[in-house]
Structure formats: C-alpha cells, structure tokens
Amino acid sequence: MKAPVIKFFFTSIVLIVMGCSEQSIDARGACDAFEELAEKGDPYGAQPLAHCFRTGEGRQKDLVKAEQLLLKASNSGRVEAKQDLASLYLLELENPEKYDVAIALLYEVLSTGDPNSLFVLGVAEKNGLGVEKNLRKAKRYFSQAANAGHNVSVFILTMGYCYGSTHFNADVDQCNEWAGRLKNLNYISTEAEFDKYVDHMLTSSMMRKYVFSKRDMIVISQREAPVRRKAK
C-alpha cells in the first residue's frame, strides 16, 4: 500500500505547484522527486515532471523534454497526460504535423468529460487547428467545459455574454448568470475586483492569440458592454 500513498502524495504536491504559485513551495525539490519516479518508469512521475519542463518551474524550460515525458505517460494510459500532450502540440509547440495526433488524443479522452480537454477542443475548433474551423462547435465545447467548472471557459462565456464576442451574442440574463459563477469561482466580491480580474485575464497570450479577436479585446478592455451587468 505504500506505493499508492507515495503516488498520491506527489500528485498532490504537483497540483499545489500548478495552482498555488504564490505559496512558498520548493518547486525544484518537487521536480527532483518526480524525476526519481520517472526514472523508474512511473507515469505518476513522468507527467508532473513534464510540467516542470513545460513551465520552467524547478527545471529549465524544455518543451521537447516535456513532450518525451508526456508521450511515456500517455502511452501508459494516463488520461491527464494525453490531454497535456494534446494541448502541448496545439498551443505551445504549434506543429501542424502533430495537430491530427492532438485531436485524436482529445477525442480519445472526451468520454471522461475532462473539462481541460473540452476547452482545448474549443480552442482547436475556433482556430481551425487540426479540424475545420467551426465557431458553433467551439462555443459548444467552451460551454460544456464551463459547465464542468473550467475557470477559463467560465471567463470566456462571461465576456461573451456581457460584451459580445466572436462566439457569443450579448445576453443580459446569461451575462449575469456567468458573471456570478466567475465571481464565485475566484472569490470576487466587488465590481472593482471583478474589473481587476478581467484586466489580468486579458494579459494572457492565450486570450489574445487563440480566444478573442482584436475587436473583442478592445471592446472588453474598454468595457463597452452592450448589456449592463446587474449589481450582485
């Protein structure tokens, strides 16, 4: 029983490293532990170690190394590794020769309802990465991911319904519903905090490159809302 406990412990650490960078965590020490597991052929070490190389947290950034580790982990059947590998191919390595592989991986894990996979499929459909561009499908995948609690997708729906976007028509009722969900997910209690959060999200290269058009970015950044959010 010791091995599963150790795996759970290290998996918990990587989730903390990925989601709570403001806390004082020894990323290098965590990556060392993952590397020790990966060298033993353990996919529970390979996938989080790939994250270290992918982000540059605890290791020098190396996307090729991240790809090699994710290939090993995904070949062992880990759903999370398949999703990570697909997003690496589509959004970071940006190698069109790998797009078909990425889409196949995402469809393979789609039945699990993984919100990250739904989000990446939305990005692929919106931009025509490995598939024919289809804004209707992109909206559907973003909506499914948001309903599964995917934070970035909730943000996309909120901005779309509140300000109008390439994917969504402005709708006051939907705006208020999704703005409320976004606030709850991110512990936002005031309109000032809400606006600050929006400005922060708009600095993301993901938003600028793959999600919102230049027109969308201008309208959202200037808060030229065709509908007015009700005070909550």
Side-chain angles (χ1 to χ4, degrees), residues 22 33 44 52 58 75 77 84 87 94 122 138 146 160 170 201 214 229:
E22 72 278 3
Y44 285 87
C52 298
N75 287 338
D84 285 353
S87 65
E94 298 180 317
M201 290 293 289
K214 290 182 179 179
R229 283 182 283 116

Side-chain angles (χ1 to χ4, degrees), residues 60-80:
Q60 184 175 351
K61 188 171 183 177
D62 187 334
L63 295 183
V64 174
K65 184 66 173 177
E67 177 189 8
Q68 294 170 349
L69 289 163
L70 287 173
L71 277 168
K72 290 181 180 179
S74 62
N75 287 338
S76 73
R78 282 189 62 77
V79 170
E80 299 89 345

Side-chain angles (χ1 to χ4, degrees), residues 163-216:
Y163 303 107
S165 72
T166 305
H167 323 86
F168 299 89
N169 294 321
D171 183 300
V172 64
D173 293 327
Q174 292 286 348
C175 167
N176 289 316
E177 177 182 344
W178 286 103
R181 294 195 194 188
L182 188 65
K183 290 177 181 179
N184 290 335
L185 277 174
N186 295 281
Y187 306 101
I188 297 171
S189 58
T190 68
E191 288 301 310
E193 290 177 351
F194 183 88
D195 288 335
K196 184 177 180 180
Y197 178 81
V198 170
D199 289 337
H200 170 72
M201 290 293 289
L202 292 180
T203 64
S204 165
S205 59
M206 168 70 72
M207 295 296 108
R208 297 193 304 271
K209 189 170 184 178
Y210 293 112
V211 177
F212 295 120
S213 67
K214 290 182 179 179
R215 178 263 177 194
D216 294 339

Side-chain angles (χ1 to χ4, degrees), residues 46-61:
Q47 184 192 352
L49 181 59
H51 175 79
C52 298
F53 284 108
R54 189 174 178 179
T55 63
E57 295 179 0
R59 289 290 186 274
Q60 184 175 351
K61 188 171 183 177

Side-chain angles (χ1 to χ4, degrees), residues 76-180:
S76 73
R78 282 189 62 77
V79 170
E80 299 89 345
K82 292 179 181 181
Q83 186 276 320
D84 285 353
L85 184 59
S87 65
L88 179 69
Y89 283 152
L90 290 171
L91 308 180
E92 293 180 66
L93 291 176
E94 298 180 317
N95 183 354
E97 294 181 359
K98 299 287 188 178
Y99 286 175
D100 287 346
V101 175
I103 296 300
L105 286 169
L106 290 172
Y107 281 134
E108 187 177 336
V109 302
L110 196 59
S111 61
T112 67
D114 175 57
N116 290 316
S117 298
L118 290 166
F119 167 73
V120 176
L121 272 171
V123 172
E125 293 285 357
K126 191 266 180 185
N127 295 277
L129 305 177
V131 293
E132 186 175 347
K133 186 174 180 178
N134 189 317
L135 295 181
R136 186 184 298 274
K137 285 187 177 180
K139 178 181 178 180
R140 186 179 74 206
Y141 285 130
F142 287 144
S143 297
Q144 289 175 347
N147 279 309
H150 189 264
N151 193 48
V152 176
S153 297
V154 173
F155 176 78
I156 293 170
L157 264 65
T158 303
M159 296 301 100
Y161 285 125
C162 289
Y163 303 107
S165 72
T166 305
H167 323 86
F168 299 89
N169 294 321
D171 183 300
V172 64
D173 293 327
Q174 292 286 348
C175 167
N176 289 316
E177 177 182 344
W178 286 103

